């Protein structure tokens, strides 16, 4: 796991916020490292939501903010009902970020 020069609580909040924004907006620009870190986490959550049970909804609500969990459960999980993984893709952008030169990428749902 990548640490991103943050303590555990800050790192968990960062990843939770990124996952929430990705679910709500369905496409976000971020650094390559952050995109690669949240991709498997989001895919696991979608797989969990595909179960369509009360238990899986409660697990999603425990791991995400309410709006993001509901959108994942009621829209995204239904959209990918027949797919067996590969719900997201990371597209590397050629330009580095202006401030610190970090490699940028776009993560989106397929």
């Amino acid at each position: 796991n990548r640490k991103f020069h943050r303590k555990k609580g800050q790192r968990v909040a960062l990843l939770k916020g990124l996952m929430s924004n990705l679910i709500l907006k369905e496409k976000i620009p971020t650094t390559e490292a952050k995109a690669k870190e949240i991709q498997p986490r989001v895919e696991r959550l979608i797989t969990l939501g595909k179960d369509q049970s009360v238990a899986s909804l409660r697990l999603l609500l425990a791991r995400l903010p309410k709006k993001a969990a509901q959108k994942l459960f009621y829209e995204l999980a239904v959209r990918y009902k027949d797919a067996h993984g590969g719900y997201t893709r990371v597209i590397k952008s050629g330009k580095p970020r202006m401030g610190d030169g970090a490699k940028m990428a776009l993560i989106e749902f397929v």
Side-chain angles (χ1 to χ4, degrees):
N1 292 345
R2 294 168 179 88
K3 304 228 184 249
F4 301 116
H5 301 288
R6 288 172 166 84
K7 294 181 180 176
K8 183 181 178 188
Q10 296 170 344
R11 188 170 54 248
V12 169
L14 169 77
L15 295 175
K16 187 175 179 180
L18 282 171
M19 290 189 298
S20 172
N21 283 332
L22 176 62
I23 290 165
L24 292 174
K25 297 178 182 179
E26 299 191 13
K27 178 192 293 190
I28 58 169
T30 184
T31 62
E32 272 185 38
K34 289 175 186 172
K36 287 179 181 180
E37 188 68 26
I38 66 169
Q39 185 178 19
R41 294 169 189 247
V42 170
E43 293 203 3
R44 268 187 235 120
L45 291 177
I46 292 174
T47 303
L48 181 65
K50 284 170 54 174
D51 185 27
Q52 292 292 304
S53 67
V54 176
S56 62
L57 177 59
R58 287 182 179 168
L59 283 170
L60 290 174
L61 286 168
R63 294 179 182 155
L64 293 169
K66 188 175 182 179
K67 283 186 179 181
Q70 288 177 339
K71 180 173 180 178
L72 191 147
F73 189 77
Y74 294 113
E75 293 178 29
L76 296 176
V78 174
R79 183 189 310 171
Y80 297 113
K81 181 181 175 186
D82 298 327
H84 296 290
Y87 316 116
T88 60
R89 73 175 138 214
V90 176
I91 302 169
K92 296 178 182 178
S93 119
K95 303 191 323 189
R97 186 162 54 194
M98 286 291 286
D100 59 356
K103 294 179 182 177
M104 296 300 289
L106 183 76
I107 184 167
E108 64 184 3
F109 288 104
V110 177

